[in-house]
Amino acid sequence: MLEAMKNTILPIVALFSFTALAQAAEPPHEMWDVIYGSSFKRLEQLKEVIKQGADVNAPIGFNRMRRVDDGPSSRTPTAWPLDGAVQQGEMEMVKLLLANGAKFHGGELANAAFAGYENAALAMVTVLLQAGADVNSPRPDYRADVNSPLPDYLDTALIRASYKGYKDVVKLLLAQPGIQLDAINIDGDTALMVAAEKGHLEIAEMLLKAGAQVSITNKRGETATSLARETLARQQAMVSKLQSHSK
């Protein structure tokens, strides 16, 4: 009898558990669906949800899934419509959100500078700067500790553009008042360091001319000079390898 009762109770407990989890899951979020959806009509959809009164500054992503016992402010917002539109490279959606009062939350400019193509990066960075984005704002990262309301801070737009080798973007950023040439990321790397490591000579020259410091050491004890030497050594090894197979 006891075994039979167990066999009956367990499915009931599982059902209640599943129901609780379903209630704790994220509710459908229309703005999230528009920003990250796959429809080619997303711009029109965004216009419609804004017309219907959607809050363009309401968060659409958090540092963790919702729990049953969560209060209104138990989770930390990590994504917003403007940030999502920038990451998606949706220029017209970005302009629409800005025109309707979307605010910056820190990572937009750095994400724009990391676009897949320089022309796209330059266009997006230009629009964001014209709208008042902080040129020195780093990209926040909430993944290190999902229980912490404070993020780690990753690359600035200048670091990311220098890494990608986007000369025109770097030039635009260097022209901004108050640009911090030697801002560091979570690893202690500066824009000059990543340019040196990637072998982007023209960008390194631009940064040096603007006053970037060569002597800064990152958390691994490396400088821009030592990183350039390591890159050169790898390139020389590649040249030697190729030459050995061409004989």
Side-chain angles (χ1 to χ4, degrees), residues 2-237:
L2 182 60
E3 192 62 34
M5 289 179 64
K6 286 182 180 179
N7 292 337
T8 303
I9 291 172
L10 285 175
I12 295 175
V13 171
L15 178 60
F16 277 111
S17 299
F18 177 80
T19 302
L21 286 171
Q23 291 173 346
E26 299 294 332
H29 197 304
E30 191 171 13
M31 183 65 82
W32 191 98
D33 291 339
V34 171
I35 298 297
Y36 293 107
S38 58
S39 172
F40 63 90
K41 295 182 178 180
R42 282 190 295 164
L43 180 60
E44 296 305 315
Q45 292 172 346
L46 179 58
K47 290 178 181 178
E48 184 60 30
V49 296
I50 290 175
K51 183 179 179 181
Q52 292 174 3
D55 184 354
V56 297
N57 289 303
I60 58 174
F62 297 87
N63 62 328
R64 59 174 174 78
M65 294 291 291
R66 180 179 295 169
R67 298 169 184 161
V68 176
D69 58 347
D70 272 343
S73 59
S74 299
R75 300 181 299 165
T76 302
T78 59
W80 293 263
L82 180 60
D83 174 57
V86 170
Q87 290 186 45
Q88 298 291 309
E90 294 291 342
M91 176 67 77
E92 295 307 314
M93 292 175 70
V94 168
K95 290 180 178 179
L96 179 62
L97 288 165
L98 289 170
N100 283 274
K103 299 177 181 178
F104 294 104
H105 291 88
E108 295 86 359
L109 198 65
N111 285 329
F114 207 66
Y117 300 95
E118 182 170 12
N119 288 343
L122 181 61
M124 188 70 79
V125 168
T126 299
V127 166
L128 296 179
L129 286 173
Q130 290 174 345
D134 180 358
V135 68
N136 296 311
S137 181
R139 181 172 62 94
D141 179 19
Y142 295 88
R143 294 171 299 175
D145 183 359
V146 296
N147 296 312
S148 173
L150 300 176
D152 289 325
Y153 287 98
L154 304 180
D155 306 321
T156 62
L158 183 61
I159 293 175
R160 300 197 104 188
S162 298
Y163 177 90
K164 294 285 280 188
Y166 291 165
K167 292 181 289 185
D168 288 340
V169 178
V170 170
K171 181 179 179 180
L172 174 62
L173 294 170
L174 290 177
Q176 304 307 305
I179 182 72
Q180 295 176 6
L181 299 172
D182 298 316
I184 60 173
N185 62 15
I186 192 173
D187 297 315
D189 293 322
T190 65
L192 182 59
M193 287 180 181
V194 298
E197 184 175 23
K198 298 297 289 184
H200 299 315
L201 177 59
E202 291 183 60
I203 288 179
E205 289 175 339
M206 293 166 63
L207 292 167
L208 289 168
K209 184 177 180 180
Q213 297 298 306
V214 179
S215 59
I216 296 174
T217 303
N218 65 17
K219 292 182 179 180
R220 299 180 298 276
E222 301 162 323
T223 64
T225 303
S226 68
L227 287 166
R229 286 199 186 103
E230 291 172 9
T231 298
L232 178 60
R234 289 195 297 271
Q235 292 298 322
Q236 289 175 332

